[in-house]
């Protein structure tokens, strides 16, 4: 059974059909790229998958279970997290706290325990546990040195990295990356590619990524899906996509 | 420092501050009039810190805090009247009445919050402002509240000691709440609501929870006001009172509890000097606010906090520096 499967997924805003008949199936530990010209509907698809928009047609199955109509935070619990095209960090919080937020749904202690912190209660156990986990995760991304600095003070590339780390902290089965290389220089893009490889090798997670940097997409994705005007125009291996007439037409005009 | 040492230091700090106050009273530097001013400052501290939870930490502009205070005041007063027959010790009845007043305010917080928190920024401000006015006018026109004449009935009494304890408890609870996963969730909503939802924070729940908690403590502030003044004057709970509390929050720094306390004390003291020119009071407040926005827009303390632990650490550091070499033991107190 595929990890993520969509059936005839679509959404209409008024008279505009932004996405239609979108079908995708992602297996465990796959790395899939989603590309297409500007305005093709890539981010809309991410918004559909993460529950920001409710699809007007079709179904989304995560592990065989429909997640249509669930709130974004409920979908995160089911194991699907994302990053954003324009970085959305909690800017005035520390790097460590940014990661800790993502553990929120894994924690159990209630408000009374937060106020009456008797020794040995859940509060201490869970706070200690996530503190260790968050530091561990940041160490994996070589960011342990900036644990206590504010997220807004990080360099751009590090902010991207932190957002991905935060997404991973929520312990997803599928991670959606929305243009992770946007605004990066070639050096930073290369590091990002290494990081994505690293995530694939060290975490038990599938990745679906939107990207305009073809070097990156062709370099790391196992499969690529191309959309234009909200419709899938091609699917296949990177080399097949490179040679596809429809894809070239969508990007360059016929 | 271990966690329990930090808590202990803070507790000792709170007690020392109280002893300092007692000494000042014994020496005569703080007379009855000053005590009255301090109690009123205490009430404003509770009201403003609770508003700071909604505005500074949760990021929701709320301008109807006087309404929640009014609900707390009347509920506490009426509850006190009701339980008079069972002859509880006064202080227990007082605490119970304050909590009931707070709970009623929190209940209204939830009712208002569910529809209003769909809005953001100015729009939420306007809705909460309207709510405050509705409460005030309802009180004016209801019978059991005593109408515009105000409420006079059996009320407990609050002195400076009780006020100090209540303020200390409220501030402690707020601190503990903010520095837990629930507080983190609230701050993340202020920072970026969409991102918060995308990493698994149930934002709607926390917005209503934070708003209701804020209303709860506002209700307690209202209750203490009623018990201190031994009557309730509904004309007190106007829009301007909400604004006054809001000004305290902005001056102290959104997202700083201790900053709010400092601002409440400064404005409370300033208030006493401005009684002679009462009609200019709000003008002076506004000018203060304008000056603040130009020179220090983040407020007195920004989002920083004063802490007894920090103070002790700082003092230890100073002591170590002045006695390097001859006193190795104090260095092993582990300053970091």
């Amino acid at each position: 059974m595929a990890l993520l499967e969509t059936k005839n997924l679509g959404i209409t805003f008024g008279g505009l059909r932004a996405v239609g008949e979108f079908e995708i199936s992602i297996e465990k530990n796959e790395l899939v790229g989603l590309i297409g010209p500007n305005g093709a509907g890539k981010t809309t698809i991410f918004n559909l998958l993460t529950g920001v928009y409710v699809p007007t047609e079709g179904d989304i199955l995560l592990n065989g279970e429909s997640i249509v109509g669930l709130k974004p935070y409920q979908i995160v619990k089911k194991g699907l997290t994302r990053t954003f095209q324009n970085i959305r960090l909690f800017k005035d919080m520390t790097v460590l706290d940014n990661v800790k937020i993502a553990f929120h749904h894994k924690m159990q202690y209630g408000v009374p325990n937060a106020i009456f912190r008797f020794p040995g209660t859940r509060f201490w156990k869970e706070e200690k546990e996530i503190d260790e986990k968050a530091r561990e995760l940041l160490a994996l991304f070589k960011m342990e040195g900036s644990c206590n600095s504010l997220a807004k003070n990080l360099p751009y590339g590090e902010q991207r990295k932190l957002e991905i780390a935060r997404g991973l902290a929520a312990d997803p089965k599928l991670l959606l990356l929305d243009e992770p290389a946007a605004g990066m220089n070639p050096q930073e893009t290369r590091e990002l590619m290494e990081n994505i490889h690293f995530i694939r090798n060290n975490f038990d997670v599938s990745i679906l990524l939107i990207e305009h940097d073809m070097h990156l997409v062709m370099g790391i994705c196992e499969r690529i899906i191309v959309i234009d005007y909200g419709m899938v125009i091609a699917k296949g291996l990177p080399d097949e996509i490179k040679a596809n007439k429809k894809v070239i037409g969508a990007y360059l005009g016929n | 420092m271990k966690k329990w040492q930090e808590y202990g230091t803070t507790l000792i700090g709170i007690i020392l501050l109280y002893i300092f106050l007692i000494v000042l009273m014994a020496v005569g530097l703080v007379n009855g009039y000053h005590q009255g001013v301090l109690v009123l400052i205490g009430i404003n501290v509770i009201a403003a810190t609770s508003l700071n939870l909604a505005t500074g930490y949760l990021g929701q502009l709320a301008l109807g805090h006087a309404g929640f205070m009014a609900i707390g005041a009347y509920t506490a007063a009426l509850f006190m009247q009701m339980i008079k027959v069972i002859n509880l010790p006064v202080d227990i009845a007082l605490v119970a009445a304050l909590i009931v007043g707070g709970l009623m305010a929190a209940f209204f917080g939830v009712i208002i919050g569910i529809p209003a928190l769909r809005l953001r920024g100015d729009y939420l401000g306007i809705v909460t402002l309207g709510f405050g006015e509705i409460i005030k006018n309802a009180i004016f026109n209801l019978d059991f509240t005593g109408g515009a004449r105000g409420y006079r009935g059996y009320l407990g009494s609050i002195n400076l000691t009780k006020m100090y304890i209540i303020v200390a408890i409220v501030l402690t609870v707020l601190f503990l709440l903010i520095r837990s996963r629930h507080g983190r969730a609230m701050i993340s909503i202020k920072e970026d609501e969409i991102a918060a939802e995308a990493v698994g924070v149930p934002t709607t729940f926390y917005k209503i929870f934070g708003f209701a908690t804020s209303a709860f403590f506002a209700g307690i502030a209202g209750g203490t006001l009623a018990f201190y003044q031994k009557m309730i004057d509904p004309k007190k709970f106007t829009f301007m009172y909400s604004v006054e509390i809001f000004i305290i929050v902005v001056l102290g720094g959104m997202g700083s509890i201790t900053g709010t306390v400092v601002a409440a004390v400064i404005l409370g003291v300033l208030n006493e000097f401005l009684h002679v020119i009462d009609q200019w009071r709000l003008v002076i407040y506004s000018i203060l606010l304008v000056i603040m926005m130009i020179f220090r827009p983040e407020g007195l303390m920004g989002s920083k906090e004063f802490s007894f632990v920090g103070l002790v650490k700082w003092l230890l550091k100073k002591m170590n520096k002045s006695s390097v070499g001859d006193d190795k033991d104090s260095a092993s107190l582990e300053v970091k």
Side-chain angles (χ1 to χ4, degrees), chain A residues 78-174:
Chain A
K78 299 258 179 210
L80 199 158
T81 54
R82 73 177 291 185
T83 65
F84 294 89
Q85 191 173 352
N86 43 345
I87 306 175
R88 282 181 178 274
L89 288 173
F90 307 119
K91 292 198 181 77
D92 283 314
M93 297 174 88
T94 62
V95 169
L96 189 63
D97 275 349
N98 262 278
V99 177
K100 278 185 180 177
I101 293 275
F103 287 108
H104 181 89
H105 68 281
K106 296 260 169 198
M107 298 167 87
Q108 302 275 322
Y109 74 82
V111 175
N113 200 176
I115 293 165
F116 302 105
R117 301 179 175 179
F118 297 116
T121 46
R122 231 181 209 164
F123 171 85
W124 296 106
K125 220 181 84 202
E126 291 186 347
E127 283 290 334
K128 187 164 170 258
E129 197 183 308
I130 67 148
D131 191 72
E132 282 164 6
K133 274 191 185 168
R135 282 174 198 277
E136 236 169 68
L137 189 69
L138 286 170
L140 279 180
F141 285 92
K142 300 183 182 64
M143 291 179 80
E144 68 270 38
S146 40
C147 269
N148 292 320
S149 46
L150 295 182
K152 66 177 175 191
N153 294 338
L154 291 180
Y156 187 80
E158 297 278 295
Q159 291 194 12
R160 283 269 176 216
K161 220 160 76 177
L162 176 58
E163 207 191 8
I164 295 174
R166 189 182 65 184
L168 284 170
D171 194 21
K173 298 185 191 95
L174 175 63

Side-chain angles (χ1 to χ4, degrees), chain A residues 1-218:
Chain A
M1 184 178 55
L3 177 65
L4 177 89
E5 208 176 350
T6 66
K7 284 176 186 155
N8 192 32
L9 188 67
I11 185 167
T12 315
F13 297 108
L16 178 80
R17 195 176 195 204
V19 174
E21 295 163 31
F22 181 74
E23 304 219 339
I24 190 177
S25 130
I26 297 174
E27 300 294 329
K28 248 186 129 193
N29 283 330
E30 245 189 330
L31 209 170
V32 181
L34 179 63
I35 62 171
N38 286 327
K42 304 181 294 295
T43 300
T44 308
I45 289 170
F46 269 28
N47 284 336
L48 286 171
L49 294 178
T50 53
V52 177
Y53 298 148
V54 181
T56 44
E57 54 192 296
D59 202 2
I60 307 166
L61 302 175
L62 189 67
N63 267 332
E65 197 182 338
S66 176
I67 55 168
V68 169
L70 292 184
K71 290 257 164 56
Y73 73 91
Q74 292 168 320
I75 292 176
V76 174
K77 266 190 195 169
K78 299 258 179 210
L80 199 158
T81 54
R82 73 177 291 185
T83 65
F84 294 89
Q85 191 173 352
N86 43 345
I87 306 175
R88 282 181 178 274
L89 288 173
F90 307 119
K91 292 198 181 77
D92 283 314
M93 297 174 88
T94 62
V95 169
L96 189 63
D97 275 349
N98 262 278
V99 177
K100 278 185 180 177
I101 293 275
F103 287 108
H104 181 89
H105 68 281
K106 296 260 169 198
M107 298 167 87
Q108 302 275 322
Y109 74 82
V111 175
N113 200 176
I115 293 165
F116 302 105
R117 301 179 175 179
F118 297 116
T121 46
R122 231 181 209 164
F123 171 85
W124 296 106
K125 220 181 84 202
E126 291 186 347
E127 283 290 334
K128 187 164 170 258
E129 197 183 308
I130 67 148
D131 191 72
E132 282 164 6
K133 274 191 185 168
R135 282 174 198 277
E136 236 169 68
L137 189 69
L138 286 170
L140 279 180
F141 285 92
K142 300 183 182 64
M143 291 179 80
E144 68 270 38
S146 40
C147 269
N148 292 320
S149 46
L150 295 182
K152 66 177 175 191
N153 294 338
L154 291 180
Y156 187 80
E158 297 278 295
Q159 291 194 12
R160 283 269 176 216
K161 220 160 76 177
L162 176 58
E163 207 191 8
I164 295 174
R166 189 182 65 184
L168 284 170
D171 194 21
K173 298 185 191 95
L174 175 63
L175 182 64
L176 307 182
L177 302 177
D178 198 345
E179 292 202 36
M184 282 187 170
N185 62 32
Q187 168 66 25
E188 287 171 325
T189 308
R190 216 170 306 128
E191 276 170 28
L192 177 77
M193 280 170 77
E194 281 164 23
N195 276 324
I196 293 175
H197 265 302
F198 174 79
I199 292 166
R200 281 247 306 152
N201 297 334
N202 290 278
F203 294 85
D204 186 22
V205 66
S206 315
I207 297 174
L208 174 65
L209 72 97
I210 294 177
E211 189 47 70
H212 280 301
D213 188 323
M214 286 306 146
H215 177 66
L216 187 145
V217 175
M218 298 297 169

Side-chain angles (χ1 to χ4, degrees), chain A residues 211-230:
Chain A
E211 189 47 70
H212 280 301
D213 188 323
M214 286 306 146
H215 177 66
L216 187 145
V217 175
M218 298 297 169
I220 62 173
C221 293
E222 287 147 9
R223 274 197 303 133
I224 293 174
I225 297 165
V226 191
I227 60 168
D228 194 18
Y229 294 109

